[in-house]
C-alpha cells in the first residue's frame, strides 16, 4: 500500500523520468508508428482484396476450369448443365495492340460493369478498365477494333479476367499491348471465321467423365489458371509479407521495451530496495515506471489510423496491374487486426516489465568469477574485458546479435527481392528465342519433323524459311501443377537439338528433376500418363517448360483412348507473320519482355518502402544499442578511468567484437532472406510457367555489410570522442 503523499511524489518523479527518457521513448514511438503502419496497411489491403475477389467469384459463378476442343471435335451442346461454350477472336486495337473480343458469358464467368453501362446496340463495346486507361480511352469514345468502329459504353471485369494476360507464357498483364472486350453476338459474327472456341465448366462437372466425352486440348483447372490465380497470389504474398513484417517489428519493439525497463531498473535499484525495506510491494512501486505505455498507445493509434486511411491506396497499387471488380476496405478486418496488434503490444510491455520488476525481490545469484589471467592469449586489454563482460552477462551480446540479425534480414530481403526481379527481366529478353508464337486456327494442318505446318489441303498458313511448327499440350505434374509441354522438331532452330525429353533449368530448380530422372506427367483426370526419362537440361532459367521431339508424347503415352494427349498447334517465327498477325491468337517477344517491366514498376514501389524503412530501422536500432550500452555502464567506465585506461580500451571494452557479430548477422540473415524470397515468389507464382530465380552472389550481403559498417563506424567514432571527454 502506498500513501497518497508518496504516490504524488512518485508520480512527479515519473514525469521527470519521461522528460529524461524522451529520446528513447521517441525512438520507441517512431518504431511502433512506422513499422505497424506499414504492416497493418498491407495486411488490411491484401486481406480486403482477397475477400473482394472471393465474393466476386461466388456471385459471378467463376469457372472450375476450361479447355479448348481438339480440332474438328464436338463441344457440349448449348444449354448442357455445368458447361458454357464461348468464342473469342483477336483483332487489332488502338496503338497496334491486340484486343480479344467475344460475346458476354451468360452463366459462367459472368462480367460486372465497374463503370458505365451494359451493351445495348451492335456498335457498342465493353473494355477492361486498365486497357482503356493505358490507351486513354474514355467512356463514349469511338475506337477501331479490327475493321469496325465501336463506341465504348462501359468498363467490365470478369472472374477469369482479373489478370488480363495474352498467354500463360506472359508473366504479367501488359495493358499497352493486350486487352479484352465484350461485344454483342451480332457484332461478333463478323469475326466468327477466325475465332477460337473455349469451353468452361463449373464445380458440378465430373472431370473424368468430361475427359471421356470430349477430346479436350489445353485443359486447365482453376487452380492452374494464372489469369485467376495471379491476382490471388499477388494479394496472398503481400498479406503473408505483412504478417512477417508485423512479427519482425513486434520482436524489435519487445527488445526496445526490455532495454528501456532494464535501464530504469538499474537506475531505480536503490529506491526499490528502500521501498522493499519499508514494506511496500515492489509491484506497487513498479507501476510508476511504466512510462512506455504512452508512446505505445500513441504509436498504436497512429498506426491504426494510417492503416485505415492508406489501405485503399495500397489496394490501388496492384490495381494498376489487375482489373479488380468493385471492392472496398474491409472494416471488420481492419478492426480485428488493429485490436490484435494493440493487445500484443500490451502483452509485450507487460512481459518486458515483469522481466525486471517481479512482484517479489529476485534471488541473488552469485556468479563465478572469470579471472583475466585465463584470457592472456588476447593481447588487447579492452577485448579481454569485453569477453569477460559477455561471458558474465551473455544476454547482452545475444540480444545484440539478434537485433542485428532481424534488421539485417529486413535489408537483405528487400534488396534480394529487388535484385532478383531486375535479373529476371534482363534474362527474359536473352532467353526468349523466337519473335512471335502463333496459336494456329483450328484445322490449320499438322506439323511434321521438317517443321512445315501447311496441311495437304492447303489450309495452313504459308511457311517461311524461319518459321517452325510445334505443338503445345497441357499436362499435370504429381504436385497438381499444370505443365506446358512443347513438341518441336528434333533439330529446332529456336530450342536446339531435342532428341529426347528436355526440361529447362527453371524446371529443374523448381521440381528437382534433371538429366536421367524419370518425370511422369498425366492428364487432368489421370487416365493418360506420360513417363519421360529426361535426357538434358537447358540453360533457360525464366520459364518452367518441357520440350520433346515431334510426336514424343504419343510415343510414351499410356492409358486412355489411344493414349495421345490432344494439343494445340503453334508456329514459332523470327518476325511477324503477315498472314497470321491480327488474325489469330499470338504472343510476341516484346510483349513477354515488357510484361516483366510492368511488375518491376510495382515491386520498385513496394520494395522502395521496405528498403527505406529497413535503413531507418537500422539507424534506430544501432542508436538504441549505443545509448543502452553507454547509459548502463557509467559505473564501469568510472572505475576503468580511475585505473588509467584510455578511450581506446574503453571503447573496445564496451563495443569489442561488434564487427564479427555484425558479419555473423549479415551472413545468417542472407541465408534466411534467400529462402524467404523463394517462399514469397512461390506463394505468388508456383503454379505458373514463369519462374523468377532468386539472385545469388555476394552483392546483396556486401551492400548490407557496408551499410552496417558505415553506421557502426559513425557511432564508434562518436563513442571514442565521448570517452575523451572528462565528464
Amino acid at each position: 500500500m502506498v500513501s497518497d503523499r508518496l504516490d504524488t511524489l512518485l508520480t512527479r518523479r515519473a514525469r521527470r523520468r519521461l522528460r529524461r527518457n524522451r529520446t528513447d521513448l521517441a525512438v520507441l514511438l517512431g518504431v511502433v508508428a512506422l513499422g505497424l503502419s506499414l504492416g497493418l496497411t498491407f495486411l488490411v489491403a491484401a486481406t480486403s482484396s482477397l475477400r473482394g475477389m472471393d465474393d466476386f467469384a461466388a456471385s459471378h459463378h467463376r469457372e472450375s476450369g476450361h479447355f479448348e476442343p481438339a480440332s474438328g471435335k464436338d463441344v457440349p451442346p448449348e444449354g448442357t448443365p455445368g458447361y458454357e461454350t464461348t468464342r473469342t477472336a483477336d483483332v487489332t486495337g488502338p496503338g497496334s495492340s491486340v484486343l480479344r473480343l467475344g460475346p458476354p458469358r451468360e452463366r459462367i464467368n459472368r462480367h460486372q460493369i465497374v463503370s458505365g453501362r451494359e451493351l445495348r446496340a451492335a456498335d457498342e463495346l465493353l473494355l477492361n478498365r486498365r486497357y482503356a486507361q493505358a490507351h486513354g480511352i474514355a467512356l463514349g469514345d469511338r475506337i477501331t477494333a479490327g475493321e469496325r468502329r465501336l463506341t465504348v459504353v462501359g468498363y467490365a471485369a470478369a472472374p477469369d479476367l482479373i489478370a488480363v494476360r495474352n498467354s500463360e507464357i506472359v508473366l504479367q498483364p501488359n495493358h499497352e499491348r493486350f486487352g479484352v472486350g465484350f461485344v454483342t453476338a451480332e457484332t461478333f459474327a463478323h469475326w466468327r471465321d477466325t475465332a477460337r472456341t473455349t469451353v468452361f465448366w463449373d464445380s458440378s462437372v465430373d472431370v473424368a467423365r468430361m475427359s471421356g466425352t470430349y477430346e479436350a486440348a489445353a485443359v486447365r483447372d482453376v487452380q492452374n489458371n494464372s489469369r485467376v490465380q495471379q491476382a490471388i497470389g499477388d494479394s496472398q504474398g503481400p498479406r503473408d509479407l505483412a504478417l512477417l513484417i508485423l512479427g519482425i517489428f513486434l520482436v524489435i519493439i519487445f527488445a526496445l521495451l526490455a532495454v528501456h525497463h532494464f535501464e530504469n531498473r538499474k537506475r531505480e535499484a536503490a529506491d526499490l530496495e528502500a521501498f522493499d525495506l519499508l514494506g511496500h510491494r515492489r509491484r506497487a512501486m513498479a507501476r510508476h515506471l511504466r512510462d512506455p505505455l504512452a508512446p505505445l498507445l500513441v504509436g498504436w493509434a497512429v498506426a491504426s489510423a494510417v492503416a485505415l486511411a492508406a489501405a485503399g491506396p495500397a489496394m490501388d497499387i496492384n490495381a494498376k496491374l489487375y482489373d479488380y471488380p468493385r471492392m472496398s476496405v474491409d472494416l471488420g478486418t481492419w478492426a480485428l487486426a488493429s485490436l490484435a496488434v494493440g493487445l500484443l503490444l500490451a502483452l509485450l510491455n507487460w512481459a518486458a516489465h515483469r522481466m525486471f520488476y517481479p512482484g517479489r525481490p529476485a534471488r541473488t545469484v552469485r556468479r563465478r568469477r572469470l579471472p583475466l589471467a585465463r584470457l592472456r592469449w588476447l593481447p588487447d586489454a579492452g577485448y579481454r574485458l569485453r569477453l569477460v563482460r559477455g561471458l558474465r552477462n551473455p544476454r547482452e551480446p545475444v540480444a545484440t546479435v539478434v537485433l542485428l540479425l532481424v534488421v539485417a534480414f529486413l535489408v537483405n530481403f528487400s534488396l534480394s527481392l529487388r535484385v532478383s526481379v531486375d535479373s529476371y527481366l534482363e534474362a527474359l529478353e536473352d532467353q526468349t528465342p523466337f519473335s512471335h508464337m502463333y496459336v494456329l486456327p483450328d484445322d490449320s494442318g499438322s506439323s511434321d519433323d521438317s517443321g512445315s505446318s501447311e496441311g495437304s489441303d492447303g489450309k495452313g498458313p504459308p511457311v517461311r524459311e524461319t518459321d517452325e511448327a510445334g505443338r503445345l499440350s497441357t499436362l499435370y505434374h504429381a504436385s497438381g501443377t499444370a505443365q506446358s509441354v512443347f513438341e518441336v522438331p528434333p533439330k529446332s532452330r529456336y530450342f536446339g537439338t531435342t532428341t529426347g525429353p528436355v526440361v529447362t533449368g527453371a524446371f529443374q530448380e523448381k521440381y528437382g528433376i534433371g538429366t536421367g530422372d524419370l518425370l511422369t506427367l498425366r492428364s487432368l483426370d489421370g487416365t493418360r500418363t506420360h513417363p519421360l526419362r529426361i535426357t538434358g537440361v537447358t540453360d533457360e532459367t525464366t520459364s518452367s517448360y518441357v520440350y520433346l521431339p515431334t510426336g514424343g508424347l504419343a510415343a510414351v503415352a499410356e492409358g486412355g483412348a489411344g493414349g495421345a494427349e490432344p494439343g494445340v498447334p503453334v508456329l514459332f517465327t523470327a518476325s511477324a507473320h503477315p498472314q497470321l498477325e491480327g488474325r489469330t491468337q499470338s504472343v510476341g517477344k516484346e510483349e513477354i519482355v515488357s510484361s516483366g517491366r510492368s511488375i518491376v514498376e510495382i515491386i520498385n514501389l513496394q520494395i522502395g518502402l521496405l528498403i527505406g524503412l529497413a535503413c531507418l530501422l537500422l539507424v534506430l536500432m544501432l542508436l538504441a544499442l549505443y545509448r543502452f550500452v553507454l547509459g548502463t555502464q557509467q559505473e564501469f567506465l568510472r572505475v576503468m578511468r580511475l585505473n588509467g585506461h584510455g578511450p581506446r580500451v574503453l571503447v573496445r571494452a564496451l563495443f569489442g567484437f561488434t564487427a564479427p557479430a555484425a558479419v555473423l548477422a549479415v551472413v545468417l540473415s542472407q541465408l534466411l532472406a534467400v529462402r524467404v524470397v523463394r517462399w514469397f515468389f512461390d506463394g505468388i507464382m508456383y503454379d505458373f510457367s514463369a519462374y523468377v530465380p532468386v539472385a545469388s552472389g555476394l552483392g546483396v550481403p556486401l551492400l548490407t555489410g557496408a551499410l552496417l559498417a558505415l553506421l557502426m563506424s559513425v557511432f564508434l567514432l562518436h563513442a571514442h570522442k565521448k570517452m575523451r571527454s572528462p565528464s
Side-chain angles (χ1 to χ4, degrees), residues 180-193:
V180 296
F182 296 106
V183 295
T184 63
E186 176 186 351
T187 302
F188 183 74
H190 180 75
W191 299 292
R192 187 169 294 278
D193 292 340

Side-chain angles (χ1 to χ4, degrees), residues 20 83 228-229 295 358 367 383 563:
R20 184 183 67 218
Y83 294 95
V228 173
Q229 297 301 326
R367 293 177 178 168
Y383 287 128

